[in-house]
Amino acid sequence: MNPKAHQPDSLPAPGPSALAQSETLAAQIRAEIAQAGGWLPFDRYMERALYAPGLGYYGGGSVKFGRRPEDGSDFITAPELSPLFAATLARPVAQALEASGTHHLMEFGAGTGKLAAGLLNALEALNVPFDTYSIVDLSGELRERQRATIEAEAPALASRVRWLDALPEQFEGVLMGNEVLDAMPVRLFVHAADAWRERGVAVHDDGEFAFDERPVSSPEDAAFLASLEIEGAYLAETHDAARAFTRTICTMLTRGAAFLIDYGFPRHEYYHAQREQGTLMCHYRHRAHGDPFVYPGLQDITAHVEFTGIAEAGVETGADLLGYTSQGRFLLNAGITEVLGDIDPADSARFLPAANAVQKLLSEAEMGELFKVIAFSRGIEETLDAFASGDRTHTL
């Protein structure tokens, strides 16, 4: 494979060992495409590019999370941006634990462990009793980073943390996932000439990956796409994997709550006529671009979340939809300004960076509006303070 063929000029080139890892994964994907008759649906390509053991983006050993491209990272998340995110999230988590009478926590895709360490310390400071903090993460490299972070930042509570290789059949407590849904494989569909086709991945004669389209074969897919009432050229994603994940965790949850935080829109906004290019995006060294075939296994591939489908998936299991709102409103309701107020404004070296980070978390021009929080529950009768005002469940 020509490493320059899918390299936008703005992207730095990886080192020789990383490039060799990418080529090994690309060769495996090409072989799978050949075995499948020359075509794979895009969600299968995305799954391999992100999660292939030892080679995929989340299955390999790249840095991923950080503030600058110089540290080898590709993007930053809210827990990395400010410890006040975890300190504030701890409040609705504590309220859900108390309201459900449960004592266990579980986090999916824990990144570097910053959110886990922050939550552990904040819950301890709030005098909230809890027994275990379970982490579900497919990456062995990230598990080690999480372990090191927790032992360094929450040493007195590290013994309560455990890593799971498989989900339990039942769980009582609070589940959390920050930027988990957007990293799940999506399917691509293209509308043209009044017909929908599924966009997948093929291989050109020169060995390069390329998009290739096939007729929609599933009656269920055809019915859903027809319901969108799209006219003209349009590219859309569907979130089968994210919906399946939501059904799984809401079925597993026998008592307690599940909080999912991610960027996205309700269905009527997601499939808006003006979003005709879809939302698929790639991230490499803090640069965003639209080519998923660049350096397979070395870059993140993501799509915005269609939250109406997530809500439907959870409710189908019998779980209650506890709330849905913007991240900004959720954090304000949960008391992030009070948490910020615990820092002395006279201590400018601490207060000013913290205030700037809170602005990014809350601002409509930053993360406050694009990111949403959706929560499901069983056995919780009351409305959590974090959803007390500005709840947008009616927009789903």
Side-chain angles (χ1 to χ4, degrees):
M1 175 180 288
N2 177 6
K4 294 289 187 181
H6 287 285
Q7 181 193 342
D9 293 338
S10 62
L11 297 183
S17 62
L19 196 59
Q21 173 186 322
S22 178
E23 174 54 29
T24 298
L25 176 58
Q28 291 183 5
I29 297 174
R30 286 196 293 270
E32 184 172 345
I33 291 173
Q35 291 173 355
W39 187 88
L40 281 181
F42 183 78
D43 61 337
R44 177 57 180 169
Y45 170 86
M46 185 171 172
E47 178 184 351
R48 294 286 291 155
L50 294 181
Y51 299 108
L55 296 172
Y57 182 73
Y58 289 104
S62 61
V63 173
K64 306 172 187 67
F65 308 92
R67 291 178 174 271
R68 300 175 302 277
E70 291 78 16
D71 60 24
S73 64
D74 302 301
F75 55 87
I76 189 169
T77 61
E80 303 288 328
L81 182 64
S82 171
L84 300 189
F85 179 82
T88 305
L89 179 58
R91 295 180 167 204
V93 168
Q95 190 178 7
L97 287 170
E98 181 179 1
S100 61
T102 58
H103 303 280
H104 300 280
L105 301 155
M106 184 181 295
E107 183 183 355
F108 296 93
T112 64
K114 283 283 188 181
L115 179 57
L119 281 170
L120 289 166
N121 287 327
L123 291 171
E124 182 78 357
L126 292 169
N127 295 315
V128 176
F130 64 94
D131 296 332
T132 62
Y133 192 110
S134 301
I135 293 177
V136 181
D137 204 305
L138 299 177
S139 170
E141 179 267 338
L142 283 176
R143 286 188 179 199
E144 292 308 310
R145 292 184 67 188
Q146 292 154 13
R147 194 185 311 276
T149 298
I150 293 167
E151 289 178 351
E153 299 183 11
L157 301 168
S159 62
R160 303 193 199 182
V161 182
R162 59 181 183 175
W163 282 261
L164 303 182
D165 294 318
L167 294 179
E169 292 186 7
Q170 297 182 335
F171 178 81
E172 291 188 349
V174 173
L175 306 165
M176 297 156 290
N178 181 64
E179 292 197 49
V180 171
L181 297 176
D182 69 87
M184 294 189 175
V186 296
R187 298 170 69 197
L188 300 182
F189 293 91
V190 178
H191 185 265
D194 296 325
W196 286 98
R197 293 173 67 84
E198 182 167 6
R199 174 168 286 182
V201 182
V203 180
H204 280 169
D205 291 340
D206 61 2
E208 296 299 327
F209 295 120
F211 285 124
D212 187 40
E213 296 158 12
R214 299 285 176 90
V216 176
S217 58
S218 164
E220 291 80 7
D221 290 336
F224 174 77
L225 293 166
S227 73
L228 301 180
E229 299 182 349
I230 295 295
E231 297 180 0
Y234 200 89
L235 172 63
E237 304 99 8
T238 64
H239 299 259
D240 304 55
R243 292 197 302 269
F245 169 78
T246 304
R247 282 191 291 270
T248 296
I249 65 170
C250 286
T251 298
M252 181 181 70
L253 181 68
T254 56
R255 188 173 185 83
F259 295 91
L260 299 172
I261 306 170
D262 228 309
Y263 44 90
F265 314 97
R267 183 171 295 155
H268 69 278
E269 294 180 27
Y270 195 93
Y271 297 114
H272 193 279
Q274 294 180 347
R275 196 164 284 111
E276 73 276 5
Q277 295 301 313
T279 70
L280 192 75
M281 188 59 62
C282 306
H283 298 274
Y284 182 75
R285 299 298 183 264
H286 292 265
R287 293 170 172 85
H289 67 93
D291 189 346
F293 304 136
V294 171
Y295 309 139
L298 302 184
Q299 67 166 349
D300 188 29
I301 307 174
T302 181
H304 287 50
V305 178
E306 191 266 281
F307 277 103
T308 301
I310 300 302
E312 291 171 347
V315 172
E316 285 169 3
T317 70
D320 296 319
L321 182 56
L322 188 59
Y324 168 73
T325 192
S326 68
Q327 175 179 285
R329 174 51 55 188
F330 180 86
L331 293 175
L332 282 171
N333 288 344
I336 194 170
T337 55
E338 297 174 10
V339 177
L340 176 62
D342 290 338
I343 302 175
D344 184 359
D347 186 355
S348 58
R350 291 184 62 221
F351 184 81
L352 291 180
N356 288 335
V358 168
Q359 170 68 11
K360 291 182 179 180
L361 293 172
L362 298 181
S363 171
E364 292 187 0
E366 298 276 355
M367 301 175 71
E369 176 59 31
L370 178 59
F371 279 72
K372 310 298 193 304
V373 184
I374 191 168
F376 302 94
S377 65
R378 294 184 193 269
I380 296 179
E381 302 298 330
E382 61 192 79
T383 298
L384 300 187
D385 293 342
F387 294 110
S389 66
D391 189 1
R392 301 184 186 181
T393 299
H394 64 284
T395 68
L396 291 169

